[in-house]
Amino acid sequence: MSTIAKVVVELSLDREFDYIIPGPLKNDLHIGSQVVVPFGHRETRGYIVGFSDISKTPNLKEIKSRVGTKPLINQDLMKLAYWLADYYASPIEQAIKTVLPSVIRKKEGRYKQQLFVIPTSLASDTTRLEALQKKAPKQATTLSILRDQGPMFAQQVLQLSRGTFSVLRGLEDKGFVKIGHETMMRDPFMGQTVLPTQPLELMLEQRQALDQIKPFIDSQKSRVMLLHGVTGSGKTEVYLQAINYVLDQKKGSIVLVPEISLTPQMVERFRGRFGDKLAVLHSHLSSGERHDEWRKLYEGKSHIAIGARSAVFAPVKNLGLIVVDEEHETSYKQDKTPRYHARDVAVMRGSMEGCTVILGSATPSLESYQNVFSGKYQLARLDHRVDDHAMPSIRIIDMRHELGQKGCVEVFSKDLTEAIQIRLDRAEQTILFLNRRGFATSLICSKCGYVEKCNQCSVSMTYHKQVNELRCHICGKVSRVPNQCPEPTCKDPAFRMAGVGTQKVEVVLRRLFPHAAVQRMDADTTTGKYAYDQIFGDFRSGKIDILIGTQMIAKGLHFPNVTLVGVIFADTTLHMPDFRAGERTFQLLTQVAGRAGRGDIVGEVIVQTYTPSHPAIQAVRRMDFEGFMDQELGFRRELFYPPFAHLILVTVEGVSEEKTSFSAEMFTKAIVPKLQNSSVVTGPSPAPIAKAKGFYRFQILVRTKTTRKVSEIIKENLLTFTWPPKIKCTVDIDALSLL
Ligand code: ADP
Ligand code: ZN
């Protein structure tokens, strides 16, 4: 048994402290146990995150006592935390912090205590009431509210009676009411009522999918089902009914959706069906709300959790089902240690807790499809849209031929311009998509080829027109727009903009269609908390004719009046220095295309591109998921890339280019001899973004089939390797971004 416990105290210090375990507590402490420890001149609560036999700190103090008998992290979640630490090469402390939300670990997490008013038996005494009516009419009104509606929070009574608190105290003095403290649940829905909905009569394919899922749930074994359903095929209804089925067996569920799709609209669909049984976990909640929602699950008052990535750790009791919607989404990957992928964690948690996992998508990841081929996952398909709405027609426009042609205006081809005009005439709506914000991509000198770059990061600066400045999209640095080429030997004044961003699209669009209501939606226009909902609300109600946006508008939205989707340049994602660029482009374009024609009119999609013959673009045109996947899988197999190998990305960063490169070199030399032949190591080489925020970046890429083993070797070496000062090394297992 260890003698020292590592404790994270409830002060936001973001580090652990060592404490001696006193004899009497020796067998009673576990990771996750809450304890009281001396801290400075006072005492504070903390959580045990680890054990040790040695400590670097002299004069350790003892743990004072244990709080509660039940650790905040149950056995299953603790096991999952250890898996996270092992698989993702992360310290266990870090993994535990990931499993337990900070609002629960830290002090701010308390139920809100409120004054609560309870009428006594005197309140129903009519003679006394009549007497009160004469002497203190305000008190009488307040009391009659309480008598009619029963006990309630002081705040609510006063709102109804429009009285002051002294009225309540007066009633208390006369013995008509008792006032005490009660826990008040904060309501993230702000009292907004959602109409209850009933399960819909399922379409044939939906029913078949559900029939396939039910035996999985009954078996109580961990089984994974990939639900591949085209956009608008009614996947959500299948989730809802599967959750219902699980609920009938007195079990709980978790629903994961990408942060960006976790809109009030989305939550309402679940809330309408499950009411109070649903807890919502997402980053827009206040910390108090987040605390209460988590507690409701922990205490078994709610049985269903819906949330983004981290909701995969929700303390749902007796877990029967995990749904991962849009399973291909890259936002499921955490971008700090442990760099977990919520879909993969969901599958692991499912296998640990013997529960069913449904992965849903219109464009599944190659990883998941390969698991279908290998027999690990089962497949269910929804090939038809609900009500058999036709899939939109897709046209590809070759911009190489278009430019300079009559009717083509800068970023708009003749066809797209005409198509927009038709929608305006018919009072239908249009969505325009471009995966790049800002005005122009970069400033380029047409004479010497100089490109204005960020001096902290090796990327070009993006021009933002409204504020007339250049911004770095990596570090946020802002600089003035030079009026001549900064290259001393050139100084040409004809410095011009190259590339197009959403701002530019907006400007040109307003010029082309001065009477149309145009709105842009990207990271620059949605900085306010409610901006996002506001814009979507306006679009839904028809106040906006044309919505321009980045990938923010690509997902899961259902706007029946949108009959045209235009992709300004499909090439933006296609030419990323990443082997997944084709897959990403295919997914993104398919998702965007899915926004068209969700109502009764058949939708049209126009894709503008400079590389019309690219397999990903052609596959989108034909809506040929299988064909694209076959080709892509062939190429991945040949090159030993995911899903045929796991990809481990080690990034070494430092201010000195030379030292960083050298450390990366030495680290590679340290690990390579320990890896088996089955692993392929490339690098170190400069990262595609070779410098960011002033740090040089070098990468080592390991492709392997034995991830756990490699992960262990890397984790060990990270600790034993002597890193020079100010050199940082991060490990990303199953990396999704190679930049
Ligand atoms: P997906 O998630 O596959 O894109 P949705 O679940 O959003 O599709 O379904 C699209 C629309 O069809 C929604 O408005 C939904 O309410 C409706 N819908 C789904 N299933 C049915 C059904 N069985 N009968 C009638 N309408 C349905
Ligand atoms: Zn920068």
Side-chain angles (χ1 to χ4, degrees):
M1 209 55 215
S2 311
T3 52
I4 291 163
K6 294 186 174 298
V7 175
V8 175
V9 294
E10 271 188 347
L11 310 161
S12 5
L13 294 168
D14 206 26
R15 53 169 284 211
E16 298 123 34
F17 298 90
D18 290 350
Y19 285 93
I20 294 170
I21 301 170
L25 286 181
K26 227 158 197 113
N27 299 317
D28 293 341
L29 296 180
H30 310 276
I31 288 186
S33 291
Q34 255 183 301
V35 289
V36 174
V37 292
F39 196 82
H41 294 297
R42 51 202 185 102
E43 285 174 356
T44 180
R45 281 190 187 191
Y47 301 85
I48 296 194
V49 294
F51 294 102
S52 172
D53 284 316
I54 44 162
S55 173
K56 285 183 195 158
T57 323
N59 308 325
L60 286 187
K61 292 179 184 163
E62 269 193 359
I63 289 176
K64 179 105 191 304
S65 60
R66 182 177 63 147
V67 184
T69 44
K70 209 172 133 204
L72 285 171
I73 306 182
N74 66 29
Q75 285 301 313
D76 286 328
L77 278 175
M78 190 56 66
K79 227 170 102 189
L80 192 62
Y82 276 97
W83 177 80
L84 278 183
D86 287 348
Y87 188 83
Y88 292 105
S90 143
I92 181 68
E93 297 84 7
Q94 227 39 56
I96 285 172
K97 285 184 187 166
T98 303
V99 170
L100 199 58
S102 66
V103 65
I104 298 300
R105 285 196 321 267
K106 289 174 187 164
K107 206 171 192 161
E108 64 214 60
R110 288 274 177 280
Y111 280 124
K112 197 167 170 181
Q113 295 287 312
Q114 288 278 356
L115 291 177
F116 196 72
V117 191
I118 306 165
T120 63
S121 55
L122 285 188
S124 25
D125 186 329
T126 23
T127 18
R128 277 171 196 265
L129 263 176
E130 274 164 21
L132 188 67
Q133 187 76 54
K134 292 195 187 99
K135 272 190 283 178
K138 273 200 180 144
Q139 291 185 6
T141 322
T142 309
L143 190 58
S144 61
I145 292 172
L146 280 162
R147 201 194 45 198
D148 296 345
Q149 303 191 18
M152 61 177 93
F153 287 102
Q155 193 186 316
Q156 290 170 302
V157 191
L158 296 178
Q159 222 164 33
L160 292 171
S161 70
R162 295 167 202 273
T164 60
F165 195 69
S166 61
V167 176
L168 284 178
R169 281 289 178 221
L171 284 170
E172 190 189 29
D173 291 344
K174 295 190 179 108
F176 285 112
V177 301
K178 280 203 164 81
I179 301 177
H181 285 272
E182 274 279 332
T183 294
M184 172 145 141
M185 287 283 190
R186 281 153 287 212
D187 178 9
F189 305 104
M190 294 175 290
Q192 145 209 8
T193 46
V194 175
L195 293 180
T197 61
Q198 293 302 317
L200 299 172
E201 179 87 38
L202 292 183
M203 313 292 289
L204 177 66
E205 287 180 328
Q206 287 175 311
R207 201 165 58 235
Q208 286 167 341
L210 190 65
D211 286 345
Q212 230 175 309
I213 294 163
K214 282 179 177 172
F216 279 28
I217 295 166
D218 293 334
S219 79
Q220 314 217 4
K221 290 203 193 87
S222 78
R223 308 270 291 275
V224 184
M225 145 88 73
L226 178 65
L227 182 59
H228 179 190
V230 296
T231 48
S233 59
K235 293 184 287 295
T236 312
E237 187 61 32
V238 176
Y239 306 153
L240 288 167
Q241 299 201 16
I243 294 167
N244 221 357
Y245 188 75
V246 170
L247 206 55
D248 284 343
Q249 305 187 1
K250 305 257 176 300
K251 290 183 151 200
S253 302
I254 295 176
V255 183
L256 302 181
V257 292
E259 180 81 47
I260 209 166
S261 320
L262 196 57
T263 55
Q265 211 187 333
M266 181 69 164
V267 174
E268 252 172 52
R269 288 177 77 175
F270 286 83
R271 194 149 187 252
R273 203 63 64 85
F274 302 115
D276 289 343
K277 297 192 187 82
L278 182 76
V280 184
L281 304 165
H282 74 87
S283 58
H284 289 318
L285 301 182
S286 72
S287 60
E289 288 166 347
R290 233 174 305 164
H291 166 270
D292 292 0
E293 296 295 291
W294 190 92
R295 276 277 168 182
K296 281 198 307 205
L297 295 165
Y298 179 76
E299 286 160 11
K301 289 181 186 141
S302 298
H303 311 282
I304 304 156
I306 186 167
R309 187 170 62 211
S310 64
V312 72
F313 304 113
V316 173
K317 291 213 151 111
N318 205 0
L319 194 59
L321 175 67
I322 307 178
V323 174
V324 185
D325 191 27
E326 314 270 5
E327 65 88 27
H328 65 279
E329 267 292 312
T330 51
S331 66
Y332 280 127
K333 188 86 155 94
Q334 165 88 327
D335 51 9
K336 51 182 202 277
T337 310
R339 293 177 154 73
Y340 68 87
H341 194 302
R343 175 197 59 214
D344 300 343
V345 177
V347 171
M348 182 43 71
R349 185 165 178 188
S351 107
M352 285 175 170
E353 300 192 28
C355 88
T356 301
V357 179
I358 304 176
L359 310 179
S361 175
T363 51
S365 62
L366 294 188
E367 279 80 357
S368 293
Y369 237 100
Q370 182 56 30
N371 279 326
V372 169
F373 290 139
S374 72
K376 231 174 115 185
Y377 297 173
Q378 270 221 26
L379 178 68
R381 288 178 54 155
L382 308 177
D383 289 334
H384 299 89
R385 284 184 160 185
V386 173
D387 290 344
D388 252 352
H389 284 154
M391 293 303 279
S393 72
I394 300 186
R395 252 195 298 163
I396 310 288
I397 308 287
D398 186 344
M399 288 304 273
R400 294 171 306 182
H401 296 316
E402 195 72 21
L403 286 176
Q405 295 241 335
K406 203 165 159 260
C408 173
V409 188
E410 291 181 79
V411 291
F412 289 95
S413 63
K414 184 161 170 283
D415 289 29
L416 184 53
T417 316
E418 283 171 4
I420 295 173
Q421 186 59 58
I422 291 171
R423 295 324 182 281
L424 290 172
D425 294 344
R426 289 201 221 132
E428 292 166 12
Q429 290 171 301
T430 297
I431 285 180
L432 295 177
F433 173 80
L434 178 64
N435 207 9
R436 188 194 277 148
R437 64 195 169 94
F439 189 79
T441 7
S442 49
L443 282 185
I444 186 163
C445 175
S446 47
K447 206 165 163 198
C448 77
Y450 174 92
V451 175
E452 183 80 350
K453 285 188 171 175
C454 173
N455 58 1
Q456 295 289 303
C457 315
S458 58
V459 297
S460 51
M461 301 286 281
T462 304
Y463 178 60
H464 286 247
K465 189 183 167 74
Q466 256 160 357
V467 281
N468 192 35
E469 62 192 19
L470 295 168
R471 282 192 195 155
C472 171
H473 283 187
I474 301 259
C475 71
K477 199 188 97 143
V478 170
S479 68
R480 290 206 0 249
V481 182
N483 48 19
Q484 59 177 33
C485 177
E487 191 62 49
T489 52
C490 176
K491 295 203 171 150
D492 195 82
F495 213 49
R496 66 178 190 90
M497 277 149 325
V500 174
T502 44
Q503 280 187 15
K504 169 96 178 236
V505 176
E506 183 185 356
V507 169
V508 178
L509 193 66
R510 285 184 191 281
R511 213 165 58 217
L512 281 176
F513 305 104
H515 301 297
V518 172
Q519 172 68 48
R520 177 163 56 91
M521 182 165 202
D522 54 30
D524 299 315
T525 62
T526 51
T527 45
K529 190 175 167 188
Y530 300 108
Y532 190 85
D533 300 341
Q534 176 80 46
I535 296 177
F536 277 139
D538 286 351
F539 194 50
R540 182 172 305 283
S541 67
K543 278 189 211 154
I544 298 168
D545 298 319
I546 307 171
L547 185 66
I548 309 162
T550 52
Q551 74 256 40
M552 228 177 239
I553 61 167
K555 318 287 159 147
L557 298 162
H558 187 71
F559 297 114
N561 200 33
V562 173
T563 56
L564 173 67
V565 167
V567 177
I568 303 294
F569 289 119
D571 311 66
T572 41
T573 40
L574 206 52
H575 300 310
M576 298 274 274
D578 186 328
F579 72 93
R580 283 193 182 92
E583 184 185 1
R584 294 269 159 73
T585 307
F586 177 81
Q587 287 168 344
L588 200 52
L589 293 185
T590 308
Q591 297 279 344
V592 180
R595 299 309 116 222
R598 307 269 302 214
D600 295 328
I601 307 164
V602 178
E604 184 181 18
V605 180
I606 295 182
V607 179
Q608 304 187 144
T609 175
Y610 287 101
T611 36
S613 58
H614 191 284
I617 305 266
Q618 284 302 318
V620 171
R621 186 179 65 78
R622 296 192 306 264
M623 276 179 261
D624 179 13
F625 179 81
E626 267 79 27
F628 176 70
M629 205 181 41
D630 276 353
Q631 186 173 10
E632 193 69 20
L633 283 176
F635 140 80
R636 302 277 183 92
R637 182 181 277 118
E638 200 171 305
L639 297 178
F640 195 48
Y641 267 120
F644 301 99
H646 287 268
L647 198 67
I648 300 177
L649 181 69
V650 180
T651 307
V652 183
E653 292 172 285
V655 273
S656 149
E657 184 171 11
E658 207 181 327
K659 275 190 197 144
T660 311
S661 154
F662 183 72
S663 298
E665 198 82 51
M666 296 312 286
F667 188 69
T668 312
K669 285 208 174 107
I671 58 168
V672 164
K674 295 173 189 158
L675 301 175
Q676 268 122 9
N677 303 338
S678 61
S679 300
V680 180
V681 181
T682 43
S685 48
I689 296 175
K691 191 182 177 195
K693 301 179 187 177
F695 289 85
Y696 288 92
R697 312 170 71 243
F698 288 84
Q699 291 181 342
I700 305 150
L701 206 58
V702 185
R703 283 170 291 154
T704 183
K705 284 213 179 276
T706 53
T707 326
R708 285 286 282 263
K709 189 79 203 139
V710 176
S711 181
E712 192 186 314
I713 292 166
I714 292 179
K715 193 172 167 181
E716 263 173 34
N717 279 269
L718 274 179
L719 294 173
T720 53
F721 189 78
T722 34
W723 295 98
K726 293 194 204 141
I727 299 270
K728 201 175 82 184
C729 179
T730 52
V731 181
D732 190 356
I733 311 283
D734 294 331
L736 283 185
S737 167
L738 303 181
L739 299 176

